[in-house]
Amino acid sequence: MCRNVQLNSVAHLVHPRQADARMLMYQHQKASERFDVIDLDPYGSPAPFLDAAVQAVSEGGLLCVTCTDMAVLAGNSGETCYSKYGAMALKSRACHEMALRIVLHSLDLRANCYQRFVVPLLSVSADFYVRVFVRVFTGQAKVKASASKQALVFQCVGCGTFHLQRLGKASGASGGRVKFSAACGPPVAPECEHCGQRHQLGGPLWAEPLHDLDFVGRVLEAVSTNPGRFHTSERIRGVLSVITEELPDVPLYYTLDQLSSTIRCSTPSLLQLRSALLHAGFRVSLSHACKNAVKTDAPSSALWDIMRCWEKECPVKRERLSATSPAFRILSVEPRLQANFTIRDDANPSSRQRGLKRFQANPEANWGPRPRARPGGKAAGEAMERRRLHQNKRKEPAEDPVQRAARLKTFPCKRFKEGTCQRGDQCCYAHSSPAPEGHPETPYQNPPGPGVAAGPGVD
């Protein structure tokens, strides 16, 4: 790094440091020594660096955080997610957006300890990681509002219906002041109103908008104006276009396959379901985190009414459903909302009509994060390649059927020796005793019955 700095004559701009990143950021907590931009991109979780980062970024500075531990953030290890980010992750179809909101909650929680708060600019879920861009500010009054920006999630284990419960409540008071208090809840009964199953509790997570749409619009304009600047400009345009179409005030989403699989019916097309929601007077959008996402402000009761109407057009065999299953309980209720599945023009989003690359396909099979770099470099890679080529080499090849039959004929038949084998020549085992060297083979003799004297030559 030092040599590159000298070759490019940027010693007045670049100052390389080789040190513990946390200690370096802790040493720059003074307002005059803070960094304008901090980019955290470790292998795995950035949790150990967040506390130092929120203190070392300048007022209004940019903090970029990348998380590649998606197994933790997506709900596979809820207790591990709590130990790292201070929130319980749930397994759901909206796990990628939930991961973004958990990271933002963790950042804001750590910043609040130092009378600071975060303002998200852009939050992206891509490939096998999530990445957030936030600005960090200082202000005691704004920090008080942080509790009302976080929410708990109640998710049904049967049908997947979710409800959000804010941790705090901000209300107007006399003199133009804002009064903060604890929120009242919970928003659900002990059992789900649709299928009668229990609820899981997740969070807290960030319940405010994930993006600053003005900032996203400026970035999208800059990329569109000069597309040759980036090699991935088409993908950037596609993802940012979907982000501008997302409903900013609707946390989380459902998916087409989730709704249809819950009631065991065929899946409606994306345009049919979007049109039904628009005909009913609700808003609906996609999500950049999932191509089958249905992000809507419709209550869960209206959404299940639409699915009940769809099931009437594509009936399900009720006799195959268990009386305690979510599908049976949901379909046993008549819909109060009559859905209209006629395709509307505004049901097709603009990014889809323009054919943008909204959801990137994997470049190869089994695409995902690679193993952690190991000492040895290329030699270690060659060792892994040799290990892959020699897999299963020690296993014996499949035996030829003729060879197997010949091998089995060398073993004596136990049932023939007992006098119970009924297969005769069709038996796969030998019906003659193995002959000693220099002597012809002699057949097995049935053992004499009780009370019969053994003849000469019979043991």
Side-chain angles (χ1 to χ4, degrees), residues 22 25-26 38 40 42 45-57 63-67 84-86 102-108 110-111 114 132 136:
R22 293 167 295 182
M25 290 187 288
Y26 279 130
I38 295 179
L40 299 179
S45 173
F49 306 96
L50 298 183
D51 184 78
V54 295
Q55 300 180 67
V57 66
L63 176 58
C64 315
V65 181
T66 303
C67 306
K84 291 183 177 181
Y85 301 98
I102 287 176
V103 174
L104 290 174
H105 159 75
S106 183
L107 285 172
D108 194 58
R110 285 171 166 83
Y114 310 101
V132 299
V136 183

Side-chain angles (χ1 to χ4, degrees), residues 13 62 91 99 138 180 188 264 269 321 330-331 345 353 375 382-383 458:
L13 297 175
L62 181 64
K91 275 190 175 182
T138 305
F180 301 101
V188 294
R264 303 291 192 270
S269 69
L321 300 178
I330 291 175
L331 296 177
D345 294 335
Q353 295 179 5
E382 293 175 353
V458 179

Side-chain angles (χ1 to χ4, degrees), residues 156-167:
C156 174
V157 299
C159 61
T161 304
F162 60 83
H163 301 269
L164 268 68
Q165 170 65 60
R166 298 274 181 151
L167 290 182

Side-chain angles (χ1 to χ4, degrees), residues 279-294:
H279 281 301
F282 302 109
R283 295 180 298 154
V284 62
S285 75
L286 294 174
S287 172
H288 78 280
C290 179
K291 59 183 175 182
N292 293 326
V294 179

Side-chain angles (χ1 to χ4, degrees), residues 364-375:
E364 61 184 23
N366 303 317
W367 178 254
R370 302 304 184 190
R372 183 194 296 266
R374 302 295 182 184

Side-chain angles (χ1 to χ4, degrees), residues 40-51 65-90 98-111 128-132 150-151 167 202-206:
L40 299 179
D41 191 3
Y43 189 94
S45 173
F49 306 96
L50 298 183
D51 184 78
V65 181
T66 303
C67 306
T68 58
D69 55 336
M70 286 302 295
V72 173
L73 288 169
N76 286 348
S77 302
E79 65 284 353
T80 304
C81 183
Y82 180 81
S83 65
K84 291 183 177 181
Y85 301 98
M88 286 291 293
L90 298 178
M98 188 176 293
L100 287 171
R101 296 185 178 277
I102 287 176
V103 174
L104 290 174
H105 159 75
S106 183
L107 285 172
D108 194 58
L109 182 63
R110 285 171 166 83
F128 48 84
Y129 64 91
V130 293
R131 182 163 172 82
V132 299
Q150 320 299 326
L167 290 182
L205 48 80
W206 181 265

Side-chain angles (χ1 to χ4, degrees), residues 129-371:
Y129 64 91
V130 293
R131 182 163 172 82
V132 299
F133 303 82
V134 301
R135 297 183 69 185
V136 183
F137 296 93
T138 305
Q140 185 177 6
K142 295 287 186 179
V143 170
K144 290 182 178 180
S146 291
S148 59
K149 299 177 182 178
Q150 320 299 326
L152 296 172
V153 180
F154 292 84
Q155 178 178 288
C156 174
V157 299
C159 61
T161 304
F162 60 83
H163 301 269
L164 268 68
Q165 170 65 60
R166 298 274 181 151
L167 290 182
K169 181 174 64 175
S171 56
S174 59
R177 297 181 297 105
V178 179
K179 181 181 179 181
F180 301 101
S181 58
C184 299
V188 294
E191 295 181 350
C192 177
E193 59 178 322
H194 306 293
C195 67
Q197 301 289 335
R198 297 174 294 107
H199 289 92
Q200 285 181 320
L201 182 61
L205 48 80
W206 181 265
E208 293 294 303
L210 295 174
H211 324 283
D212 183 344
L213 295 182
D214 292 336
F215 171 78
V216 175
R218 294 196 300 270
V219 175
L220 184 57
E221 182 181 0
V223 174
S224 302
T225 304
N226 188 9
R229 183 179 179 184
F230 306 101
H231 293 292
T232 57
S233 59
E234 292 186 5
R235 184 184 183 188
I236 295 174
R237 287 182 56 203
V239 173
L240 293 183
S241 297
V242 177
I243 287 176
T244 58
E245 297 169 352
E246 288 184 12
L247 295 177
D249 55 341
V250 178
L252 306 181
Y253 53 81
Y254 297 94
T255 60
L256 283 174
D257 53 333
Q258 171 196 355
L259 296 173
S260 58
S261 63
T262 300
I263 60 175
R264 303 291 192 270
C265 73
S266 60
T267 305
S269 69
L270 180 65
L271 295 184
Q272 286 176 320
L273 185 59
R274 287 171 60 93
S275 298
L277 288 167
L278 292 173
H279 281 301
F282 302 109
R283 295 180 298 154
V284 62
S285 75
L286 294 174
S287 172
H288 78 280
C290 179
K291 59 183 175 182
N292 293 326
V294 179
K295 186 184 283 285
T296 178
D297 60 347
S300 58
S301 57
L303 196 59
W304 287 120
D305 277 346
I306 292 176
M307 293 306 299
R308 292 185 184 102
C309 294
W310 173 256
E311 189 271 338
K312 291 182 180 298
E313 297 186 7
C314 305
V316 175
K317 294 183 178 179
R318 305 295 180 89
E319 63 274 8
R320 294 186 178 182
L321 300 178
S322 171
T324 58
S325 65
F328 183 87
R329 296 191 177 186
I330 291 175
L331 296 177
S332 61
V333 178
E334 286 297 320
R336 290 174 293 180
L337 183 152
Q338 297 303 318
N340 182 3
F341 295 99
T342 305
I343 303 298
R344 293 177 41 148
D345 294 335
D346 55 349
N348 197 9
S350 174
S351 60
R352 192 170 183 263
Q353 295 179 5
R354 290 181 290 166
L356 299 179
K357 291 186 176 181
R358 304 169 300 158
F359 307 101
Q360 187 77 0
N362 292 339
E364 61 184 23
N366 303 317
W367 178 254
R370 302 304 184 190

Side-chain angles (χ1 to χ4, degrees), residues 446-454:
N446 288 336
V452 180

